[in-house]
Amino acid sequence: MRYIIKLSGSILDSKGNLDELGKILNELKIVAKNENKIGLVIGGGRRSREFIEAGRTFDLTESELDKIGIALTRINAMIVIGALYGLAYPRVVTDFEDAALAWNEQKIPVMGGLTPGHSTNAVAAMLAEYTRADLLINATKAGGVFDRDPTKFPDASMLESVSVTDLKKIIGSSFQAGKYELMDEVALGIIERSKIRTKIIGTDAASLRKALKGEKTGTYIVFE
Ligand code: UTP
């Protein structure tokens, strides 16, 4: 099986999250040994937003700010590459062909951001499309898609599945550096056009294990 996994950059934000990242990478090491192919895309997390906000103070353009975000995602990717001790392709992968070449060398390609105008979710969707992945997993703090905003409604419940159309309505369209939501429109467009099997899950090793085993966790994106 071919899995593309987007890890929210929040996984590198704090000591507790880094411990969980260690567990996630251990899961991946096991999965990668069993003839499976894994591609990783790492987000920018809190630090990317802090740097973007600093730049915004001086009126940098949105694409300048996006490029700052991209730089931070790549720094996070470097940490993950090091933490995978030789299992990962040693350089941060910056194009999809190199991701495929990494697989040829039995290495895990680790990407960060690519170009301004979208989030790392879009990069992960493009990588999943390019590599004909069996499953795209988006591990994000929200852990899935809810019927109502869980920050405002404590009784909100997580949906087992959501249609692309409904998800588009839920996320709206925020196109500012550092402010791309759960899934940005570019990511959803790619997922929709190629009907990529996609699951949104939490940023913990237990959820990832379940997603990789096809067990119930998070929210599937479905197509009408
Ligand atoms: P992300 O918003 O994808 O990081 O990238 P994240 O931490 O994973 O976000 P969550 O946790 O999933 O919400 C950080 C910033 O880098 C820029 C954008 O400004 C983005 O907000 N970026 C990233 C790009 O401009 N292009 C890319 O291809 C990727």
Side-chain angles (χ1 to χ4, degrees), residues 62-175:
E62 286 300 317
S63 41
E64 283 175 319
L65 296 171
D66 273 341
K67 289 193 89 169
I68 290 170
I70 293 167
L72 269 297
T73 64
R74 291 182 178 174
I75 289 174
N76 282 345
M78 286 169 73
I79 294 174
V80 170
I81 289 170
L84 280 166
Y85 298 116
L87 270 185
Y89 191 75
R91 201 173 280 155
V92 178
V93 168
T94 54
D95 67 56
F96 303 120
E97 287 84 355
D98 281 348
L101 290 173
W103 275 356
N104 288 349
E105 294 177 21
Q106 315 303 327
K107 298 286 184 197
I108 297 175
V110 185
M111 301 186 76
L114 283 182
T115 45
H118 54 75
S119 76
T120 48
N121 293 319
V123 176
M126 289 174 206
L127 181 60
E129 181 180 69
Y130 184 86
T131 57
R132 296 174 190 276
D134 298 293
L135 182 63
L136 166 62
I137 297 174
N138 182 4
T140 179
K141 258 202 280 191
V145 182
F146 291 78
D147 57 351
R148 284 177 290 169
D149 184 346
T151 59
K152 291 184 193 143
F153 303 94
D155 60 338
S157 52
M158 195 186 286
L159 303 170
E160 258 183 61
S161 65
V162 64
S163 72
V164 183
T165 318
D166 286 345
L167 190 49
K168 277 184 189 162
K169 285 183 205 149
I170 293 168
I171 61 168
S173 53
S174 169
F175 266 100

Side-chain angles (χ1 to χ4, degrees), residues 10 20 25 29 36 51 57-58 86 93 103-104 125 160 200 212 214-215 224:
S10 64
E20 199 59 38
L25 297 183
K29 284 175 196 167
N36 295 306
F51 277 84
T57 311
F58 295 100
V93 168
W103 275 356
N104 288 349
E160 258 183 61
I200 300 171
L212 291 168
E215 294 173 2
E224 290 86 3

